[in-house]
């Protein structure tokens, strides 16, 4: 990545981390995502599964829905998705179906991830579009938002 591109990438991941923190404030598992087209954020969300009583309302799905609705199109070719945690199988499939160009994520998720962990969705012959993947962005911060959240939930209130 060029240096200026690296700085923009940092800013987008910081925006995704802000969404993750807001999700924690709603007592959601703190994962955040932003969707970027032509260098601008067009959608942003944290996890909303509890808020919406919708098990599919992961941050990645939420930003894909927002952007597709706004643009009035089902696919988002040329869009880049930034998410604080390695996407799960459901989200990896949605990212593929939406034709997302690049996927940037923070912390790896050995228990639930599907990019470099688990089923490695994008590497399967049944996957017909794979984004370029950049992992480990702001990894320490992305992971600490999650561990902080689960630690606080285990602590007696
Ligand atoms: Zn997911």
């Amino acid at each position: 990545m060029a240096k200026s591109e690296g700085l923009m990438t940092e800013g987008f991941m910081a925006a995704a981390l802000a969404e993750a923190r807001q999700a924690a404030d709603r007592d959601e598992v703190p994962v955040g995502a932003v969707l970027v087209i032509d260098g601008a954020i067009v959608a942003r969300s944290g996890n909303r599964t509890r808020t919406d009583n919708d098990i599919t309302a992961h941050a990645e799905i939420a930003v894909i829905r927002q952007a597709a609705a706004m643009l009035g199109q089902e696919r988002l070719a040329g869009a880049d998705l930034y998410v604080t945690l390695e996407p799960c199988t459901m989200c990896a499939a949605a990212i593929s179906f939406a034709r997302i160009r690049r996927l940037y994520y923070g912390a790896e998720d050995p228990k639930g991830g599907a990019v470099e962990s688990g089923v490695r969705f994008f590497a399967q012959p049944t996957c017909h579009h794979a984004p370029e993947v950049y992992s480990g962005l702001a990894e320490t911060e992305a992971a600490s938002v999650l561990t902080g959240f689960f630690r606080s939930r285990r602590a007696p209130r």
Side-chain angles (χ1 to χ4, degrees), residues 6-131:
L7 284 174
M8 285 181 70
T9 296
E10 271 176 41
F12 295 139
M13 189 50 84
L17 281 163
E19 292 296 326
R21 290 195 191 92
Q22 285 178 35
D25 293 342
R26 294 193 305 269
D27 214 23
E28 299 272 4
V29 172
V31 177
V34 300
L35 202 120
V36 173
I37 296 176
D38 292 334
I41 294 175
V42 298
R44 56 176 79 211
S45 183
N47 247 337
R48 303 189 52 83
T49 58
R50 292 167 67 102
T51 309
D52 294 353
N53 289 320
D54 178 0
I55 208 67
T56 69
H58 285 186
E60 300 95 312
I61 305 275
V63 293
I64 287 170
R65 281 196 180 126
Q66 273 179 37
M70 189 192 73
L71 297 168
Q73 59 188 52
E74 60 177 331
R75 296 200 175 108
L76 302 168
D80 300 335
L81 194 150
Y82 292 75
V83 59
T84 56
L85 184 68
E86 180 181 355
C88 71
T89 310
M90 171 181 74
C91 292
I95 286 165
S96 173
F97 295 161
R99 304 288 190 269
I100 300 291
R101 179 178 62 172
R102 294 187 186 126
L103 166 65
Y104 298 84
Y105 69 83
E108 64 171 7
D109 184 7
K111 287 184 183 164
V115 179
E116 281 160 34
S117 313
V119 302
R120 292 183 164 81
F121 187 88
F122 301 130
Q124 300 305 318
T126 47
C127 173
H128 305 300
H129 168 84

